[in-house]
Amino acid sequence: MNKYLIRGTAFTVVGILCLYYGINLMKSDLTDNLWYKILLIAGVLSFGYGFITLIYRMFRKIDRNTIIDHRKSNKKQNN
């Protein structure tokens, strides 16, 4: 597995969990608890970083496959 895939998946899952728990805290009767604001901010940042990392992994994979195909075609032309 690629490090970008692992990192992106981990941050995305952590972000979803933070958002879920933050929304549950916000809806609870304990409005004195301000931890939900921190959890929501951390969740959005974590989810965003994870999503961008997953997209970056996809672009790297496409770019790598393109380079490999280009090298194969150059090798065939030279032979």
Side-chain angles (χ1 to χ4, degrees), residues 1-77:
M1 288 180 81
N2 191 340
K3 70 178 180 178
Y4 296 109
L5 176 65
I6 295 170
R7 195 177 297 165
T9 305
F11 273 102
T12 303
V13 169
V14 167
I16 290 171
L17 290 175
C18 285
L19 287 170
Y20 178 75
Y21 189 63
I23 289 171
N24 283 340
L25 277 178
M26 187 173 61
K27 288 182 181 179
S28 69
D29 293 333
L30 302 173
T31 55
D32 299 341
N33 193 357
L34 297 178
W35 281 101
Y36 74 91
K37 292 180 182 180
I38 296 170
L39 281 173
L40 290 177
I41 291 170
V44 167
L45 292 176
S46 178
F47 181 81
Y49 180 74
F51 185 75
I52 288 173
T53 306
L54 288 173
I55 296 297
Y56 178 69
R57 180 214 178 251
M58 185 177 63
F59 284 142
R60 279 179 50 104
K61 180 116 179 153
I62 292 170
D63 188 44
R64 182 177 181 277
N65 290 339
T66 304
I67 290 171
I68 289 172
D69 291 341
H70 182 54
R71 287 180 183 167
K72 284 181 184 178
S73 68
N74 282 344
K75 192 180 275 189
K76 285 181 183 178
Q77 288 177 356

